[in-house]
């Protein structure tokens, strides 16, 4: 696996994997996503809540739903590397078995586990990782500055996995960020204690600053949110320039950090969606209706707000920018998209822009 420069944490939804698949190959080879298999049904999952094997759920229904989705994910990855976190479905061992086997045998994705998970599920993931021959990742949820007992917990997990550190990627996930300064301190503590604990194959620092739009004031309005996730990474790298190895940059792209915890939503979906654009220091966010007489006018007005801003990189920058430009200039309903289109375009422009930020010599292509 070539060392990536960027790890977006993405939910296994069609808009996200299509966005990745449509990036130019020169960009895709520098992006190694962490895909989180979203829950099939039930309530929204709580971050860090340990899952246990579930023998009573409808295993057949899960298998019927999950198997084609993992096949589509494999096709979108097209043989390129990344990670996959099955925390929301691995508890249903029989229902997820066929899909996880596909992922390990037909792709270059690496499974992910975490210290908070049931030891039986940790062992299950490690066995699949061993059979794949690619090792695995440990996703450590850093919701507070870690202390020595957590370092011991991580070492104990390594013993249970029976994998050498050279076959393990450490993903330090600080989750949602609203205060870059405080989160930066937490991230540095995690890097100092856990990042230096072993000679990991890869160390990733990831966080998410894109807001939960339905929790934000100003429904169906336009505003800019700060890119605190970028600020956290830059703070840590500036404070720890002598860290023994490069720390890979991660974020949640243009999704909030809880998006992958939300079960699959069936049509028709909510009456509003979000158009989004990534500026150097912020996210431009426009909440627009998905149906109704004013839908098209609101969508095109929001596209014009984006394309007329100083942050817009021009229609020739990439496919995401091209779509936004055409939407802003168009008339009628054709070409105005829908909620899935808007988030796909958001992912495309964000991932291409981040890679070009991290590798300035890379020509802007998407």
């Amino acid at each position: 696996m070539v060392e990536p420069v960027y790890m977006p944490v993405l939910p296994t939804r069609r808009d996200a994997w299509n966005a990745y698949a449509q990036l130019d190959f020169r960009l895709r080879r520098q992006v190694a996503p962490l895909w989180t298999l979203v829950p099939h049904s039930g309530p929204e999952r709580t971050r860090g809540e340990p899952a246990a094997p579930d023998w009573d759920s409808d295993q057949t229904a899960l298998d019927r739903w999950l198997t084609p989705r993992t096949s589509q994910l494999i096709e979108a990855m097209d043989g390129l590397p990344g990670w996959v976190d099955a925390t929301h479905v691995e508890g249903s061992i029989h229902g997820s078995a066929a899909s996880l086997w596909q992922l390990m045998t037909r792709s270059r994705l690496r499974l992910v586990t975490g210290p908070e998970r049931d030891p039986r599920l940790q062992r299950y993931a490690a066995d699949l990782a061993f059979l794949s021959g690619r090792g695995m990742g440990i996703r450590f949820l850093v919701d507070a500055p870690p202390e020595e007992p957590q370092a011991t917990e991580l070492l104990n997990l390594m013993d249970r996995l029976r994998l050498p550190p050279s076959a393990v990627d450490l993903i330090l996930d600080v989750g949602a960020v609203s205060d870059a300064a405080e989160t930066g301190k937490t991230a540095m503590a995690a890097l100092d204690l856990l990042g230096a604990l072993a000679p990991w194959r890869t160390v990733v620092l990831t966080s998410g600053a894109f807001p939960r739009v339905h929790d934000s004031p100003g429904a169906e309005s336009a505003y800019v949110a700060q890119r605190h996730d970028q600020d956290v990474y830059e703070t840590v790298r500036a404070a720890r320039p002598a860290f023994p190895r490069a720390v890979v940059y991660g974020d949640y792209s243009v999704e909030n950090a809880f998006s992958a915890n939300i079960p699959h939503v069936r049509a028709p979906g909510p009456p509003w969606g979000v158009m989004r654009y990534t500026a150097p220091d912020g996210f431009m966010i426009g909440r627009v209706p998905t149906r109704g007489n004013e839908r098209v006018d609101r969508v095109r007005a929001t596209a014009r707000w984006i394309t007329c801003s100083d942050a817009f990189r021009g229609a020739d920058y990439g496919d995401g920018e091209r779509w936004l430009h055409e939407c802003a200039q168009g008339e009628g309903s054709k070409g105005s998209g829908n909620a899935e289109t808007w988030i796909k375009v958001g992912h495309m422009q964000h991932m291409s822009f981040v890679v070009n930020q991290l590798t300035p010599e890379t020509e802007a292509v998407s």
Side-chain angles (χ1 to χ4, degrees), residues 156-199:
N156 289 339
L157 172 58
M158 291 292 293
D159 287 340
R160 288 197 299 277
L161 298 180
R162 304 190 194 101
L163 291 171
S166 59
V168 178
D169 311 298
L170 179 63
I171 301 166
L172 299 174
D173 183 357
V174 300
V177 184
S178 57
D179 185 326
E182 286 303 312
T183 303
K185 296 175 186 176
T186 298
M188 280 187 278
L191 191 63
D192 291 343
L193 180 62
L194 307 175
L197 196 61

Side-chain angles (χ1 to χ4, degrees), residues 254-279:
V254 289
E255 299 260 22
N256 71 76
F258 306 99
S259 177
N261 299 343
I262 300 171
H264 169 68
V265 178
R266 294 169 176 80
W272 54 268
V274 177
M275 300 179 73
R276 54 204 88 194
Y277 193 71
T278 306

Side-chain angles (χ1 to χ4, degrees), residues 18-28 313-323 345 347-353 355-356 362-366:
N18 282 346
Y20 173 80
Q22 290 180 33
L23 291 177
D24 184 273
F25 183 75
R26 285 173 289 175
L27 290 176
R28 275 189 288 135
R313 293 176 283 278
D316 294 332
Y317 187 89
D319 288 345
E321 280 79 7
R322 189 171 301 112
W323 187 92
V345 167
H347 283 308
M348 290 176 66
Q349 60 81 29
H350 178 87
M351 288 189 284
S352 61
F353 180 53
V355 170
N356 287 313
T362 300
E363 188 176 344
V365 288
S366 67

